[in-house]
């Protein structure tokens, strides 16, 4: 059993569960709670800690290679973990056209934390799970490099997210979470108690996520676990897309509650939850918990 020490990171667990007074829910007899996973760790916030922790123990200090887009929170969290715990990191980034451009703030943070960035064309990135493609990437990596999939979602990550559900036992009837690769929802649903259900709000379009979540639960547990569903209406056209309506919603939520809202995941999930409440999707008396899976990216230095 690997005993790689993660204690220097000092995560804040369990994360706080905070009630929120919002008349859009209150007038329908609903209670809104925010599960503040964004406060777990300043550099590995939210589901990034939960999905990475068991993978880092498995890597046991070896170099870690992983995947993400130009604005990947997962790449940033992996790079930060490497800096804090002293292991090398390699980030395979979607889009070889980015190689000759100045790094955006997200990728610049990865590089500052010591991550070696490798930009690949989109066809190669789509084939990243193909054994031959992965072998070619690993040829350029140090020996015994440990591979973490895109978004950190694998069976270990799913097991790491089970604790999120357990922390919410008895506290909510419905737990909503934004979904990218599906690992958080797969584990969350498994950790909830009977009578509780998980609601996933995908931030990518395509309708593929249900299949991915079922496959992750099969890999982690040998079969389906928990009561979960997806509402695919709130992706705003795809990953990293927002638009004026979502921006207006996020600014309004921030003004109401004094909480900075991350746009690509958290704002879409909260917008979905408010819309569903207004549609009458939840009976009066329902306790809703919204998982805040990350914090907004800090502004560039000097801005």
């Amino acid at each position: 059993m690997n005993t790689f020490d993660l204690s220097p990171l000092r995560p804040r667990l369990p994360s706080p569960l905070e009630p929120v007074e919002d008349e859009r829910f209150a007038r329908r007899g609903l209670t809104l709670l925010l599960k503040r996973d964004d406060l777990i760790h300043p550099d590995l916030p939210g589901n990034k800690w939960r999905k990475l922790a068991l993978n880092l123990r498995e890597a046991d200090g070896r170099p870690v290679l992983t995947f993400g887009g130009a604005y990947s929170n997962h790449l940033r969290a992996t790079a930060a973990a490497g800096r804090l715990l002293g292991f090398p990191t390699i980030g395979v980034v979607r889009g070889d056209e980015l190689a000759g451009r100045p790094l955006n703030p997200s990728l610049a943070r990865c590089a500052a934390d010591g991550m070696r960035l490798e930009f690949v064309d989109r066809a190669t990135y789509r084939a990243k799970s193909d054994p031959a493609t992965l072998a070619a990437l690993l040829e350029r990596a140090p020996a015994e490099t440990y591979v973490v999939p895109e978004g950190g979602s694998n069976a270990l990550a799913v097991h790491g997210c089970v604790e999120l559900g357990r922390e919410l036992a008895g506290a909510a009837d419905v737990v909503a979470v934004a979904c990218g690769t599906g690992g958080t929802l797969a584990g969350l649903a498994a950790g909830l108690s009977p009578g509780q259900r998980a609601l996933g709000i995908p931030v990518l379009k395509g309708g593929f996520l249900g299949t991915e979540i079922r496959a992750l639960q099969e890999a982690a547990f040998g079969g389906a676990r928990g009561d979960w569903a997806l509402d695919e209406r709130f992706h705003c056209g795809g990953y990293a897309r927002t638009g004026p309506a979502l921006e207006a919603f996020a600014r309004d939520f921030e003004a109401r509650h004094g909480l900075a809202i991350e746009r690509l995941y958290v704002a879409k999930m909260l917008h979905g939850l408010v819309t569903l409440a207004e549609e009458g999707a939840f009976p009066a008396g329902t306790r809703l918990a919204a998982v805040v899976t990350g914090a907004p990216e800090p502004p560039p230095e000097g801005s």
Side-chain angles (χ1 to χ4, degrees):
M1 179 179 180
N2 294 326
T3 58
F4 188 64
D5 185 15
L6 302 182
S7 62
L9 296 179
R10 298 197 297 270
R12 183 181 181 183
L13 293 169
S15 61
L17 184 64
E18 301 175 350
V20 173
E21 296 294 331
D22 191 311
E23 73 273 10
R24 294 170 293 186
F25 295 89
R27 65 174 173 255
R28 291 169 175 81
L30 307 174
T31 300
L32 178 63
L33 305 157
L34 298 183
K35 179 63 168 164
R36 297 293 306 276
D37 268 19
D38 58 312
L39 300 178
I40 289 176
H41 191 280
D43 294 309
L44 287 82
N47 59 346
K48 301 311 170 191
W49 165 267
R50 297 188 190 274
K51 293 166 76 175
L52 277 172
L54 294 182
N55 275 291
L56 296 182
R57 286 202 176 96
E58 185 67 21
D60 204 23
R62 290 177 284 161
V64 170
L65 179 146
T66 193
F67 305 85
Y71 295 92
S72 170
N73 295 325
H74 168 68
L75 287 182
R76 284 213 315 275
T78 304
R83 169 177 57 83
L84 294 166
L85 296 173
F87 60 86
T89 57
I90 303 153
V92 179
V93 184
R94 180 180 61 245
D96 57 345
E97 73 279 4
L98 300 173
R101 301 177 185 173
L103 297 178
N104 67 32
S106 183
L107 293 177
R109 181 69 262 171
C110 292
D113 280 341
M115 176 173 273
R116 191 178 91 204
L117 300 174
E118 290 204 13
F119 298 92
V120 299
D121 63 81
R122 292 167 191 273
T124 299
Y125 193 88
R126 285 193 297 271
K128 59 188 175 296
S129 298
D130 176 75
T133 301
L134 186 57
L137 291 170
L138 288 172
E139 281 181 2
R140 303 192 292 271
E144 299 186 341
T145 291
Y146 180 82
V147 177
V148 176
E150 182 180 34
S153 288
N154 57 11
L156 286 173
V158 171
H159 279 286
C161 291
V162 169
E163 192 61 27
L164 170 59
R166 291 175 178 158
E167 290 177 17
L168 288 162
D173 304 299
V174 178
V175 182
V177 66
C179 300
T181 51
T184 302
L185 180 62
L188 164 65
L192 292 174
S193 301
Q196 294 180 294
R197 61 187 177 96
L199 172 64
I201 305 295
V203 302
L204 295 87
K205 64 180 181 179
F208 60 88
L209 199 57
T211 300
E212 296 291 326
I213 292 166
R214 286 187 285 273
L216 285 165
Q217 289 197 329
E218 178 70 30
F221 311 118
R225 292 290 188 278
D227 182 0
W228 59 270
L230 300 172
D231 192 317
E232 311 221 17
R233 295 179 289 161
F234 303 105
H235 52 67
C236 297
Y239 181 70
R241 297 188 180 181
T242 54
L246 185 72
E247 180 63 27
F249 169 84
R251 288 184 179 275
D252 176 70
F253 197 96
E254 290 174 332
R256 289 171 184 257
H257 304 299
L259 173 67
I261 298 298
E262 187 274 330
R263 299 306 200 252
L264 304 186
Y265 288 86
V266 178
K268 293 179 180 183
M269 178 271 299
L270 290 169
H271 182 230
L273 208 52
V274 169
T275 301
L276 285 163
E278 292 174 339
E279 291 174 349
F282 310 111
T286 300
R287 298 166 300 166
L288 303 168
V291 182
V292 182
T293 49
E297 185 174 318
E301 292 184 11
S303 65

